Amino acid sequence: MIVLKSSDGETFEIEEAVALQSQTIAHMVEDDCVENGIPLANVTGEILAKIIEYCKKHVEGGGGSEEELKIWDKEFIENIDQSTLFNLILAANYLNIKTLLDLTCQRVADMIS
Amino acid sequence: MKNEEEEERSVHEVLLLVLPYLHSLFELLSMNRVSRLLKNAIRDETALWTNVVIEPLLSSRLTDEILSEIASKSAGKLKTLILRQCLRVTDKGLRRVVDSNPLITKMIVPGCLELTPEGIIGCVESLTKNNHKLETLHINGVYGFTKHHIAALLNYLPDVGAIDVEVCPKCDEVRMVPACSRRSCESKERKCRGCRFCVSRCVECLVCLGSDTEVQEAACGGDVLCLECWLVLPKCRFCNKPYCTSHSGLRQEIEDTDDAARPMFECQACYYRAGTNPYDAFDYQI
């Protein structure tokens, strides 16, 4: 289990497989500096919760069919407000979670068209 | 709580991250006008110019000169070139881009009427030098292709589906031959392999409509639909024909005072006949 600490003091305990979807966290784990939990100064608790929700679903391909995962992603991305969306983009970039970054950025790009 | 400046900076950061996901050049150029920061980022980031997509909003304004300028922004690393209905781009202009961007893997030029088969074959030849492989070529809408041209192209792009058109097995013309969603049509030897003139298909789902299936007419002249697609589309309140989704803009919407009622529309034919008896023979003489 890995402990993540948000910028506003919330802690989240999650399975390693879930956390490793973030390349940033994966590197920290490799470098073995996760003893006392990982502080994420750039991510608030609210956003981190959303990110963990996404990562939990996407562990090992989501446990359902590709179609089902796409539908889940669509629901996920359509039910967040613009402010959360923007913060998710910044956090996904900082945490280096490519699939989440693709999903969120594409959403904004679609809104611009 | 973020102050104003911080917020502006993070919005900028987000927009910078979103730039590679924009749909076409039009959106990218619009972002140019948001701020100096974005303008500079767009100008300097060659990665943003490795996929060039020109769509009908800008297509009519794209000349060979401008295309060459745009293609040069990737410093020779252009990978995807999509030009939809760019009527002013000529063989010479396209060849110029291809010659200075040998890494192109996708060339999609539907409806670019000034291009010729010889010009395109020349580009494909140029791109297949030095072990490079062109992976995707879309030329539907470029006129003049014969089965000999396609045979030549297949040498350079042998993979199935790399080229969007093929020789129709029924009429020998070079056209798109769509896949069929009917379960009995999954094999390569299916009987419904043919272009849109040889094989009647539902315009929405592309399922083949044989002589034993019920064919529904759409309000957009000539288009036909399968029963399933017909059922879900909204229909004209007079003749009960639906428009297909790509022609749904032709609906003449009806002002409805009753909010609870379903919005209704008339098709163009019925709309223009308003005031005449729909059961009279239609008099085409005006």
Side-chain angles (χ1 to χ4, degrees), chain B residues 254-264:
Chain B
I254 296 166
E255 281 289 322
D256 219 291
T257 49
D258 186 351
D259 289 306
R262 257 183 316 125
M264 292 197 288

Side-chain angles (χ1 to χ4, degrees), chain B residues 13-33:
Chain B
E13 215 187 308
V14 168
L15 289 178
L16 281 171
L17 288 169
V18 167
L19 290 177
Y21 297 84
L22 292 174
H23 292 188
S24 79
L25 185 67
F26 179 72
E27 283 82 17
L28 194 61
L29 293 179
S30 311
M31 299 298 267
N32 253 341
R33 302 159 88 188

Side-chain angles (χ1 to χ4, degrees), chain B residues 24-278:
Chain B
S24 79
L25 185 67
F26 179 72
E27 283 82 17
L28 194 61
L29 293 179
S30 311
M31 299 298 267
N32 253 341
R33 302 159 88 188
V34 171
S35 72
R36 184 154 295 270
L37 191 108
L38 278 176
K39 188 170 180 177
N40 293 340
I42 292 173
R43 179 197 59 204
D44 298 336
E45 184 62 61
T46 56
L48 288 174
W49 298 92
T50 56
N51 296 335
V52 169
V53 180
I54 314 279
E55 296 195 316
L57 267 170
L58 293 179
S59 301
S60 57
R61 294 160 69 177
L62 188 72
T63 60
D64 287 344
E65 276 306 308
I66 300 175
L67 175 61
S68 175
E69 234 185 272
I70 293 172
S72 66
K73 287 186 195 271
S74 66
K77 299 224 171 70
L78 184 62
K79 284 206 313 253
T80 301
L81 182 61
I82 299 182
L83 306 174
R84 299 193 190 279
Q85 285 91 52
C86 297
L87 305 175
R88 295 164 79 179
V89 173
T90 67
D91 283 335
K92 216 164 133 202
L94 185 63
R95 186 58 183 268
R96 194 171 151 193
V97 168
V98 161
D99 285 342
S100 31
N101 290 282
L103 299 176
I104 294 176
T105 57
K106 260 198 203 165
M107 195 160 95
I108 296 177
V109 292
C112 294
L113 299 175
E114 277 292 306
L115 299 178
T116 67
E118 289 73 25
I120 292 193
I121 293 179
C123 288
V124 174
E125 269 172 16
S126 167
L127 284 173
T128 328
K129 283 193 297 208
N130 298 332
N131 262 329
H132 178 68
K133 226 178 85 144
L134 179 64
E135 288 167 7
T136 307
L137 179 66
H138 286 192
I139 44 179
N140 187 43
V142 176
Y143 289 131
F145 276 94
T146 65
K147 54 185 182 177
H148 306 290
H149 294 128
I150 298 299
L153 284 174
L154 283 171
N155 281 328
Y156 298 106
L157 293 106
D159 298 332
V160 177
I163 308 177
D164 62 335
V165 294
E166 53 192 278
V167 181
C168 171
K170 298 189 194 291
C171 66
D172 238 21
E173 297 288 337
V174 174
R175 300 223 174 87
M176 290 185 75
V177 175
C180 186
S181 50
R182 202 180 277 283
R183 225 173 305 148
S184 54
C185 296
E186 277 181 1
S187 71
K188 261 215 108 179
E189 289 80 33
R190 60 188 166 111
K191 274 190 239 149
C192 73
R193 258 198 84 225
C195 68
R196 65 198 178 101
F197 295 106
C198 297
V199 175
S200 185
R201 285 185 191 281
C202 169
V203 73
E204 294 285 314
C205 68
L206 293 181
V207 79
C208 61
L209 300 168
S211 49
D212 55 343
T213 46
E214 227 181 290
V215 170
Q216 307 295 333
E217 271 181 41
C220 21
D223 287 345
V224 287
L225 299 158
C226 67
L227 190 59
E228 276 162 16
C229 292
W230 182 88
L231 280 169
V232 298
L233 289 168
K235 302 172 188 47
C236 166
R237 67 172 178 163
F238 283 138
C239 63
N240 209 33
K241 290 189 193 164
Y243 275 118
C244 67
T245 30
S246 58
H247 288 126
S248 55
L250 294 176
R251 291 184 209 156
Q252 304 290 341
E253 307 285 356
I254 296 166
E255 281 289 322
D256 219 291
T257 49
D258 186 351
D259 289 306
R262 257 183 316 125
M264 292 197 288
F265 75 92
E266 290 172 19
C267 72
Q268 288 207 329
C270 295
Y271 180 75
Y272 289 124
R273 274 169 110 168
T276 65
N277 184 338

